[in-house]
Amino acid sequence: MIRLSLVGGSHVFHGKFFGAILNGCGEGHAHGEWSVGANAQRIEGARIVKVWEPVRGQAEVYAKARQVDEVAGSLEECAEDVDGVLIPDDVSLSHQRWAPLFIERKLPLFIDKPLAPTHEQAAEVVALAVAAGCPIMSTSAIRFSKEVEEFLFRREETVGDIHSAFATAPNGRLVFYGIHAVELLATIMGTDVESVENHGSPLDHWVQLNYTDGRRAVVVVSQKMRQIGGVFYGTKGYEAFHTTDSGYYYRNQLLHFIEMVKTRKPPVPPEETLRIIDICATAEKALASGKAESLSGT
């Protein structure tokens, strides 16, 4: 049995979903606000055995709702007698602040998207992990969606070599939620972006990605959007899709993390994660400057 700690974010969507997939729902906690993930397929052989929150009461509620054995009294307790640690998004854009202790202990670590709100802060976390020899994983779950997997399988036959693309995400917050659309593009087209332009406005971003080989992609992150998806144009045709099965992609994301716990090999290189953060953060800079901005580099 893979034993995991969950640190922070227990009261937010991802933390609830992860707990439902790994532990199931406690009695009376498959409805209302705790219905998140209740119908998703369970993962056997791994379990959240400890939960910690800065506010202990939140951890106690989570432990009951997601059948967690122990409410830890400290981060140090969360690092004891476990095989890995989950740090879900807590909507603060600073959840990575809990990571250093676990990196020091070399515990395989999942840090929810975004790894950090800036490239510089994200690079600090990655540098700590590399220096310590600690495997870390930080991704959007969208790269593990059924639609992305199926598209990658048939892409050569239906689309061919991709030269242009269009990707969308709702919410309007570029680093916090636009990362889903950017990671969708990165999974399919890579991260070899040299500059970005932002022709939108706050909460309605229209971002052009300029790749070093001449390809172009547009990312729209807007309160007006309702779906995460993309359209890809290639030498043989085009294809459009949007992601729909959250139970599938969150479960698949967790399966990749569990495999990393076993092998200590990240499913996504930290350098790729840094590049994705860099693209998002540079797009915010481009909105402020009104001109094309080059990426910081990794």
Side-chain angles (χ1 to χ4, degrees), residues 31-257:
H31 307 286
E33 66 172 306
W34 288 99
S35 64
V36 174
N39 296 321
Q41 183 181 354
R42 291 279 305 278
I43 291 176
E44 303 298 333
R47 185 175 181 83
I48 298 169
V49 297
K50 299 182 183 184
V51 58
W52 176 87
E53 282 282 2
V55 179
R56 184 179 177 88
Q58 290 179 340
E60 291 172 345
V61 171
Y62 187 87
K64 183 177 181 181
R66 290 299 182 255
Q67 306 182 104
V68 178
D69 300 334
E70 180 182 344
V71 175
S74 66
L75 292 176
E76 288 76 9
E77 288 182 19
C78 279
E80 297 170 358
D81 194 28
V82 295
D83 303 299
V85 178
L86 295 161
I87 303 180
D89 168 31
D90 63 3
V91 303
S92 71
L93 288 178
S94 63
H95 56 291
Q96 77 281 357
R97 67 192 183 279
W98 310 125
L101 171 70
F102 305 111
I103 290 175
E104 181 182 325
R105 303 286 180 90
K106 297 181 172 57
L107 281 167
L109 182 60
F110 173 85
I111 306 173
D112 209 349
K113 67 81 194 164
L115 176 57
T118 69
H119 177 263
E120 292 75 18
Q121 289 174 302
E124 289 176 5
V125 177
V126 169
L128 282 175
V130 171
C134 175
I136 64 170
M137 172 183 175
S138 181
T139 70
S140 160
I142 296 302
R143 72 161 57 234
F144 301 110
S145 68
K146 184 182 302 183
E147 292 81 8
V148 169
E149 288 183 338
E150 291 174 347
F151 175 76
L152 289 173
F153 179 77
R154 63 177 178 266
R155 173 181 60 181
E156 290 301 322
E157 180 180 346
T158 60
V159 176
D161 295 331
I162 296 169
H163 52 73
S164 308
F166 184 85
T168 62
N171 184 280
R173 297 168 65 187
L174 195 49
V175 177
F176 176 66
Y177 223 81
I179 193 170
H180 290 308
V182 173
E183 190 142 353
L184 171 65
L185 289 174
T187 305
I188 293 170
M189 297 178 65
T191 58
D192 193 16
V193 175
E194 63 180 0
S195 67
V196 301
E197 304 166 37
N198 192 332
H199 302 286
S201 58
L203 302 182
D204 187 26
H205 299 274
W206 287 71
V207 179
Q208 179 173 308
L209 309 187
N210 303 311
Y211 291 78
T212 57
D213 60 5
R215 292 175 297 161
R216 297 286 185 270
V218 172
V219 178
V220 179
V221 184
S222 174
Q223 289 182 323
K224 301 173 185 177
M225 293 295 172
R226 293 292 178 267
Q227 296 171 327
I228 299 170
V231 186
F232 296 87
Y233 301 88
T235 52
K236 295 181 180 179
Y238 75 93
E239 187 169 338
F241 63 84
H242 63 271
T243 58
T244 58
D245 190 344
S246 58
Y248 182 92
Y249 55 69
Y250 287 127
R251 183 176 186 273
N252 198 13
Q253 183 182 41
L254 286 172
L255 285 171
H256 280 79
F257 171 64

